[in-house]
């Protein structure tokens, strides 16, 4: 055991005055010391009665820990998610008991399904009041059990160092995920003899990575080497595993076309010659159709979500499936793997790369090209070069690409704008696409963009949000006003809850039921928060407005009025196979 | 695939909240737990859950993977009826005077392997350990004689093919299992030892 771990961390000089002279510390100080030892710099939080001792201790940690006061705890956790996704580090949240903790629920569910590492510290009523319906008491542990990778209630301060060490280890190792640590107020106040913080490196009941089974890697290589029409589909596992380089080497040596899921986007540059586009309901035409033509399907760090597979009984039935995943529970969950390659893809990919032959598949790639052309002719060209007077979402993204050169972090909300942004955005760097993929949480983008701006301040963070989703968490403009992260906000306003409207048009005989949404004057709203803004609706203003937004030092809100009833195509209608993807309304 | 009865054996750390974490893996999928028992195991500090459900093997395998994914779970096994030795314990409370008067009752109890646990003036409590049909049968037999109370425990099961958890636990305690362990773990014993 090291004493006073602060001395061992790089932030030595910043060590807390509270600990320097005494071994006796409060649970609250131990919490903050743990964060410093874990190299946490930014916390997103909101105080309240049951977490006051921690906030009191934070008063003396202002130099080491940057606390961002959000406007709603949902904002705190989405910001922590955005931070984690942009930086690759664990996002940290503070919230009080009861309503503070329940406001985290959406973000926890989101982080759980999208494997985002966050540690949430919630205050809880005094231990002797547990179960008495005390003021602001909620059973946080039981509420969050299904939506956390791990959770734990601390009632005794002596547990704090080890529990927090475990929390960070669990959140970021293996398949990452959210962790909730609920700390009763007495434990925060309790003084105890603190022996220092020790990072956790092993928990006997927890195996973050399955051991690589070489014979499966060999079998996978054999299948790949014999394949004529192999196809790679990849997900966020590549990014979470920091395996972008290993992945790119694998793709390039194998010569195999590769398509990404929405969560895997940006793991390789979007215009990589072997990158053939996005999979899924609104993904590209070729990758969807050819999933059902390939002979070997190589799935890497992805989980065959139903938005990717469409109808399972019509999914890649002809193909042998190689599935590389770190989470054994994903193997055979939705799609049966011919060869399961368990393990961290950072370890398995190089092994596989070594065993495969260097190859090219010109004819097979040509097929993707043909489908690309069809999609271009029927969908993309018109979306990016519209002949109508009203702006399309696609052309906004095209202009944005030109200005950012594909170097920005793009944070999207949920709906049509999300699908269009992911279809057309160019990304040169990894961790560029931050979106709520699994849960589809409207209201995610604005707070997540705030977090991303802290997670990687060296890049532009551009949030692309619908008029509906923006109204779900726009209170976080207050956070931007106060703390001044640099967030560029684009609202693509179609005056509708567009994605739901699209479904009502296509599948409910255009019975538009409560999708017509009125918006406030967004520019005035931003102005009220001290954020400059602009609203445009005409093509000639587009480029300059985007430029003004990007060039502005600091945050900027740009509302862009777009076509009201534009639809996102292609589309794999729900309940159909991926090969039944349609390119236009008439085909639905 | 046919649904059938599977007994799931889970080795875990002894941690508050883990029962809930495991139970909701079933309830989330609308799967009924027929029987659930928690107890110590052959290894000090390691807990053992015995869970019985009626499902297809495919579903059971996926459930076990989800269970094993929980941080505090060491290992989950699933077995069919033939692969285990199992028992349930049943208690029956019967009026003592009936037993005293009706000789037949005593004979019936003896035939069913019932053992008296408590004998009082007003009632007697018998216990039977056995399979479901056996304990069920005795209810039917006792009903006409004024069965006052009946209760049956969850199933406990021993896996015929298991050599216990002591050795397995050692592997969990290594940070990185050495070549040797991983070799025989995966190559020679394959699914049986470490199915994940
Ligand atoms: C919290 C939440 N509530 C409801 C939905 C269902 N939903 C999905 S897309 C959508 C419409 C989004 O409208 P808007 O934000 O205007 O974006 P658009 O589709 O027009 O681009 C809705 C209501 C959701 N995904 N999340």
């Amino acid at each position: 055991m090291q004493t006073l771990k602060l001395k061992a961390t790089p932030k030595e000089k910043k060590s807390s005055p509270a600990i320097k002279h005494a071994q006796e510390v409060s649970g609250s100080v131990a919490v903050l010391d743990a964060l410093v030892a874990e190299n946490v710099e930014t916390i997103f939080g909101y105080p309240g009665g049951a977490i006051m001792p921690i906030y009191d201790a934070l008063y003396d940690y202002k130099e080491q820990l940057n606390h961002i006061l959000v406007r709603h705890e949902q904002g705190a956790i989405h910001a922590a998610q955005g931070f984690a996704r942009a930086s690759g580090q664990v996002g940290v949240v503070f919230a009080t008991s009861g309503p503070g903790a329940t406001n985290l629920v959406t973000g926890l569910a989101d982080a759980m399904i999208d494997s985002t590492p966050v540690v949430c510290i919630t205050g809880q009523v005094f231990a002797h009041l547990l179960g008495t319906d005390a003021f602001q008491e909620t059973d946080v542990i039981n509420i969050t059990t299904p939506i956390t990778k791990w959770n734990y209630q601390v009632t005794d301060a002596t547990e704090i160092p080890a529990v927090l060490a475990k929390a960070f280890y669990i959140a970021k190792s293996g398949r990452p995920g959210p962790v909730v640590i609920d700390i009763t107020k007495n434990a925060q106040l309790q003084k105890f003899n603190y022996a220092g913080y020790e990072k956790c490196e092993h928990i006997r009941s927890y195996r973050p990575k399955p051991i690589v089974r070489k014979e499966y890697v060999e079998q996978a290589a054999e299948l790949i080497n014999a394949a004529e029409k192999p196809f790679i589909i990849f997900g966020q596992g590549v990014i979470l595993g920091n395996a972008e380089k290993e992945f790119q080497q694998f793709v390039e040596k194998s010569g195999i076309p590769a398509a990404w899921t929405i969560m895997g986007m940006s793991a390789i540059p979007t215009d990589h010659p072997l990158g053939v586009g996005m999979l899924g309901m609104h993904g590209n035409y070729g990758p969807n159709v050819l999933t059902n033509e390939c002979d070997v399907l190589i799935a890497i760090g992805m989980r065959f979500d139903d938005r990717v597979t469409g109808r399972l009984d019509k999914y890649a039935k002809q193909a042998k499936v190689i599935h590389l995943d770190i989470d054994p529970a994903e193997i055979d969950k939705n799609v049966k793997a011919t060869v399961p390659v368990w393990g961290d893809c950072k370890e398995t990919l190089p092994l596989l790369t070594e065993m495969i032959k260097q190859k090219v598949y010109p004819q097979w790639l040509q097929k993707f090209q043909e489908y690309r052309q069809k999609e271009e002719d029927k969908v993309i060209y018109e979306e990016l070069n519209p002949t109508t007077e009203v702006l399309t979402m696609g052309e906004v993204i095209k202009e944005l690409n030109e200005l950012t050169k594909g170097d920005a972090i793009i944070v999207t909300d949920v709906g049509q704008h999300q699908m269009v942004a992911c279809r057309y955005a160019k990304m040169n760097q990894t961790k560029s696409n931050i979106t709520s993929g699994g849960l589809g949480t409207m209201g995610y983008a604005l707070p997540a963009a705030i977090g991303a701006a802290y997670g990687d301040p060296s890049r532009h963070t551009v949030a692309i949000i619908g008029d509906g989703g923006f109204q779900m968490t726009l209170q976080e403009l207050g956070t931007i006003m106060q703390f001044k992260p640099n967030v560029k906000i684009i609202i693509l306003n179609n005056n509708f809850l567009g994605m739901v409207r699209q479904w009502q048009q296509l599948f409910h005989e255009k019975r538009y039921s409560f999708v017509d949404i009125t918006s406030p004057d967004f520019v005035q709203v931003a102005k009220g928060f001290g954020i400059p803004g602009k609203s445009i609706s005409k093509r000639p203003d587009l480029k300059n407005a985007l430029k003004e937004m990007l060039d502005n030092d600091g945050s900027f809100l740009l509302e862009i009025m777009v076509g009201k009833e534009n639809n996102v195509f292609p589309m794999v209608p729900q309940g159909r196979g991926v090969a039944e993807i349609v390119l236009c309304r008439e085909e639905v | 695939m046919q649904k059938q009865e599977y007994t799931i054996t889970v080795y875990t750390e002894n941690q508050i909240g883990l029962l809930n974490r495991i139970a909701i893996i079933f309830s989330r999928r609308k799967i009924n737990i027929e029987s659930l028992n928690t107890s110590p195991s052959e290894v000090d500090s390691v807990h053992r859950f015995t869970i019985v459900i009626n499902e297809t093997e495919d579903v059971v395998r996926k459930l076990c993977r989800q269970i094993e994914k929980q941080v505090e779970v060491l290992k989950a096994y699933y077995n069919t009826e033939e692969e285990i030795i199992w028992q349930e314990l049943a208690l029956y409370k019967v009026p003592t005077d009936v037993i005293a008067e009706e000789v037949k009752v005593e004979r019936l109890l003896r035939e069913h392997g019932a053992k008296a646990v408590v004998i009082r003036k007003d009632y007697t409590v018998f216990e039977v350990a056995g399979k479901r049909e056996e304990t069920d049968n005795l209810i039917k037999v006792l009903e006409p004689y004024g069965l006052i109370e009946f209760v049956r425990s969850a199933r406990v099961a021993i896996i015929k093919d298991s050599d216990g958890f002591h050795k397995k636990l050692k592997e969990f305690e290594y940070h990185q299992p050495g070549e040797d362990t991983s070799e025989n773990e995966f190559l020679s014993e394959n699914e049986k030892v470490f199915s994940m």
Side-chain angles (χ1 to χ4, degrees):
Chain A
M1 270 265 196
Q2 268 165 307
T3 47
L4 295 185
K5 184 68 176 216
L6 277 179
K7 286 185 194 137
T9 69
K11 295 205 174 65
E12 189 186 345
K13 51 188 180 309
K14 295 184 186 170
S15 67
S16 149
I19 319 189
K20 258 188 185 154
H21 307 292
Q23 294 275 6
E24 275 277 297
V25 303
S26 67
S28 298
V29 168
V31 168
L32 301 181
D33 190 38
L35 300 188
V36 173
E38 292 287 350
N39 293 324
V40 172
E41 285 172 3
T42 310
I43 301 162
F44 301 93
Y46 208 93
I51 197 167
M52 284 188 65
I54 290 179
Y55 272 85
D56 183 62
L58 192 57
Y59 192 83
D60 294 326
Y61 271 80
K62 278 191 209 136
E63 269 182 40
Q64 296 105 302
L65 295 166
N66 184 21
H67 178 278
I68 308 300
L69 178 70
V70 294
R71 294 300 184 264
H72 185 288
E73 291 84 354
Q74 183 185 357
I77 185 156
H78 290 329
Q81 292 177 273
F83 176 91
R85 296 265 294 267
S87 67
Q89 288 158 14
V90 179
V92 178
V93 175
F94 284 176
T96 193
S97 68
T102 55
N103 277 346
L104 298 178
V105 166
T106 303
L108 287 169
D110 194 289
M112 185 69 177
I113 200 162
D114 279 349
S115 307
T116 310
V118 288
V119 170
C120 297
I121 292 168
T122 52
Q124 180 56 283
V125 301
F126 285 89
H128 71 272
L129 294 175
L130 288 171
T132 65
D133 303 321
F135 179 64
Q136 294 192 329
E137 185 203 356
T138 346
D139 186 350
V140 173
I141 294 298
N142 278 306
I143 287 176
T144 61
T145 294
I147 47 173
T148 48
K149 186 172 170 188
W150 187 62
N151 59 10
Y152 189 83
Q153 185 173 64
V154 175
T155 51
D156 185 322
T158 58
E159 292 182 287
I160 286 173
V163 167
L164 282 190
K166 243 176 116 170
F168 276 89
Y169 175 59
I170 291 168
K172 69 187 171 204
S173 60
R175 179 176 181 175
V179 171
V180 168
I181 303 300
D182 193 40
I183 309 180
T184 57
K185 200 167 175 180
N186 59 294
Q188 298 170 38
L189 293 165
Q190 182 192 339
K191 292 259 175 34
F192 72 109
N193 204 345
Y194 181 53
Y197 186 81
E198 205 164 354
K199 285 198 185 182
C200 175
E201 278 161 9
H202 176 71
I203 298 168
R204 77 169 178 186
S205 57
Y206 170 63
R207 291 209 167 180
K209 301 176 189 179
I211 298 160
V212 178
R213 296 173 65 161
K214 290 239 174 63
E215 79 271 26
Y216 281 164
V217 181
E218 278 158 21
Q219 285 171 29
E222 264 167 48
L223 276 185
I224 293 171
N225 286 336
E228 281 166 16
K229 292 190 286 182
F231 183 30
I232 294 168
I233 57 180
F234 65 95
Q236 195 192 195
V238 175
I239 298 170
L240 291 171
N242 286 316
E244 293 92 344
K245 221 177 66 211
E246 291 79 1
F247 176 65
Q248 193 162 336
Q249 283 164 355
F250 169 71
V251 171
E252 285 167 6
K253 182 173 179 192
S254 71
I256 300 173
W260 51 85
T261 69
I262 192 168
M263 298 301 291
M265 185 174 183
S266 85
I268 54 170
T270 46
D271 52 12
H272 190 281
L274 288 166
V276 289
M278 185 167 78
L279 296 156
M281 186 174 266
H282 290 292
N284 292 108
Y285 194 41
N288 275 304
V289 174
L290 296 174
T291 296
N292 279 6
E293 267 182 46
C294 67
D295 57 358
V296 176
L297 188 65
I298 307 146
I300 304 176
M302 57 83 73
R303 60 185 175 83
F304 295 105
D305 178 79
D306 58 274
R307 283 294 191 269
V308 162
T309 63
R311 240 178 97 153
L312 267 181
D313 59 359
K314 292 187 177 174
Y315 184 78
K317 286 294 164 199
Q318 80 296 340
K320 298 217 161 70
V321 177
I322 299 169
H323 192 177
L324 285 76
D325 209 284
I326 197 165
D327 178 0
E330 288 303 339
I331 307 282
D332 293 345
K333 187 183 81 178
N334 295 334
V335 171
K336 186 111 191 94
T338 318
V339 179
V341 182
W342 294 333
D344 183 344
C345 61
K346 197 170 178 78
E347 294 163 22
T348 52
L349 280 172
L351 293 174
L352 197 53
T353 306
E354 186 153 330
M355 285 182 219
I356 57 168
K357 294 187 202 131
Q358 177 120 29
K359 270 193 168 179
V360 285
Y361 300 89
Q363 273 169 327
W364 177 226
L365 271 173
Q366 181 58 31
K367 273 216 126 154
F368 281 90
Q369 194 45 47
E370 282 161 22
Y371 279 101
R372 177 87 207 171
Q373 194 57 50
K374 252 192 228 167
E375 185 178 344
E376 180 78 34
D377 297 344
K378 288 200 104 168
V379 181
I380 301 174
Y381 187 81
E382 180 61 25
E383 177 72 31
L384 301 186
N385 309 280
T387 44
T388 55
E389 210 176 294
V390 286
L391 290 166
T392 64
M393 293 182 177
E395 66 184 312
V396 174
I397 307 299
K398 186 177 93 172
E399 286 296 346
L400 185 67
N401 286 338
E402 272 163 33
L403 295 169
T404 62
K405 307 268 185 296
D407 289 329
I409 298 174
I410 305 290
V411 187
T412 51
D413 211 74
V414 173
Q416 291 184 313
H417 64 280
Q418 175 192 33
M419 293 301 126
V420 172
C422 293
R423 285 178 49 76
Y424 298 108
K426 296 266 175 259
M427 295 179 184
N428 298 330
Q429 302 180 39
T430 184
K431 300 191 177 76
S432 291
N433 189 37
I434 298 181
T435 194
S436 169
L439 203 66
T441 306
M442 280 174 74
Y444 175 85
L446 183 63
I450 293 172
Y454 285 102
D456 188 352
S458 70
R459 301 167 69 188
H460 271 310
T461 296
V462 182
I464 297 170
I465 315 180
D467 44 319
F470 186 72
Q471 292 184 63
M472 280 205 174
T473 48
L474 66 78
Q475 75 283 352
E476 298 308 332
L477 290 175
T479 309
I480 296 177
M481 170 177 65
Q482 187 172 353
F483 296 93
K484 308 212 163 19
N486 190 349
V487 179
K488 313 299 185 191
I489 304 159
I490 297 177
I491 299 175
L492 295 177
N493 188 347
N494 53 13
N495 283 297
F496 270 120
L497 296 174
M499 187 56 95
V500 180
R501 185 208 54 73
Q502 174 169 347
W503 283 47
Q504 287 179 348
Q505 180 182 25
L506 300 179
F507 310 113
H508 298 271
E509 297 84 37
K510 209 172 171 179
R511 286 152 53 91
Y512 286 172
S513 183
F514 302 100
V515 288
D516 189 338
I517 186 167
T518 319
S519 292
D521 181 333
F522 289 123
V523 178
Q524 283 300 316
V525 169
K527 200 171 159 203
F529 284 98
I531 298 165
K534 191 166 212 167
S535 179
I536 61 155
S537 56
K538 301 224 162 52
R539 192 157 293 122
D541 298 332
L542 178 59
K543 193 178 201 108
N544 282 337
L546 286 170
K547 219 164 134 27
E548 183 183 346
M549 174 191 82
L550 291 170
D551 290 347
N552 188 60
D553 342 288
S555 298
F556 192 96
L557 182 145
L558 177 61
E559 177 188 31
I560 303 176
M561 307 307 293
V562 293
K564 285 188 70 164
E565 293 184 84
N566 292 355
N567 290 329
V568 189
F569 282 108
M571 177 176 196
V572 181
Q574 200 165 36
R576 299 212 208 147
V578 280
E580 297 167 292
I581 185 169
V582 298
L583 287 169
C584 57
R585 236 176 100 187
E586 296 66 42
E587 292 178 11
V588 171
Chain B
M1 241 189 281
Q2 276 290 308
K3 282 192 183 182
Q4 59 167 314
E5 197 175 87
Y6 283 94
T7 300
I8 299 172
T9 304
V10 189
Y11 287 94
T12 74
E13 303 291 353
N14 186 6
Q15 174 101 45
I16 294 173
L18 189 57
L19 171 62
N20 192 25
R21 216 171 240 287
I22 291 175
I24 61 178
I25 290 173
F26 297 89
S27 57
R28 174 178 172 187
R29 295 168 177 82
K30 254 185 135 33
I31 291 169
N32 191 38
I33 295 179
E34 309 284 337
S35 154
L36 186 155
N37 184 78
T38 76
S39 79
S41 73
E42 60 273 21
V43 183
D44 195 33
S45 86
V46 170
H47 236 63
R48 182 169 177 152
F49 286 64
T50 308
I51 303 166
V52 183
I53 60 165
N54 239 309
E55 264 307 333
T56 62
E57 183 177 0
D58 196 41
V59 170
V60 175
R61 187 184 313 114
K62 287 179 192 175
L63 287 167
C64 282
R65 287 186 176 170
Q66 295 295 340
I67 293 171
E68 222 163 72
K69 188 164 145 176
Q70 306 309 314
V71 169
E72 274 111 6
V73 170
L74 289 148
K75 189 78 193 101
Y77 300 94
Y78 66 88
N79 294 97
T80 57
E81 164 107 37
E82 301 77 63
E83 294 164 349
I84 54 168
I85 292 157
W86 65 272
Q87 296 269 279
E88 290 167 346
L89 180 75
L91 298 176
Y92 310 78
K93 189 200 270 181
V94 203
T96 305
D97 49 0
V98 177
I99 306 162
E101 283 155 28
E102 304 238 6
V103 197
K104 212 166 104 202
V105 179
E106 219 200 316
R107 203 190 66 233
L108 282 171
L109 285 166
R110 227 183 298 118
E111 272 173 22
H112 281 85
K115 221 169 65 193
V117 194
V118 168
I119 305 171
R120 291 175 29 148
K121 249 207 211 109
D122 46 350
Y123 64 76
T124 301
V125 176
F126 294 98
E127 67 164 44
V128 170
K131 297 265 161 102
R132 183 66 57 92
E133 312 86 75
E134 300 168 299
T135 51
D136 272 356
N137 275 343
L138 191 55
I139 306 180
K140 283 192 212 101
V141 170
L142 289 176
E143 253 162 9
Y145 302 101
L147 175 64
I148 303 167
E149 249 187 83
F150 167 76
V151 64
R152 182 168 49 217
S153 76
R155 169 180 299 189
V156 292
I158 290 278
I159 304 169
K160 289 180 185 167
D161 224 7
S162 164
D163 38 13
F165 208 67
H166 290 283
K167 223 170 74 195
K168 194 90 217 92
L169 189 68
K170 283 215 188 77
E171 282 159 25
F172 281 96
E173 276 163 359
Y174 297 137
H175 281 226
Q176 276 298 326
E179 273 296 315
D180 273 0
T181 12
S182 45
E183 288 255 313
N184 49 36
E185 193 169 40
F186 297 122
L187 299 181
S188 50
E189 301 199 42
N190 216 343
E191 302 295 277
K192 212 174 100 188
V193 177
F194 199 76
S195 59
M196 296 300 95

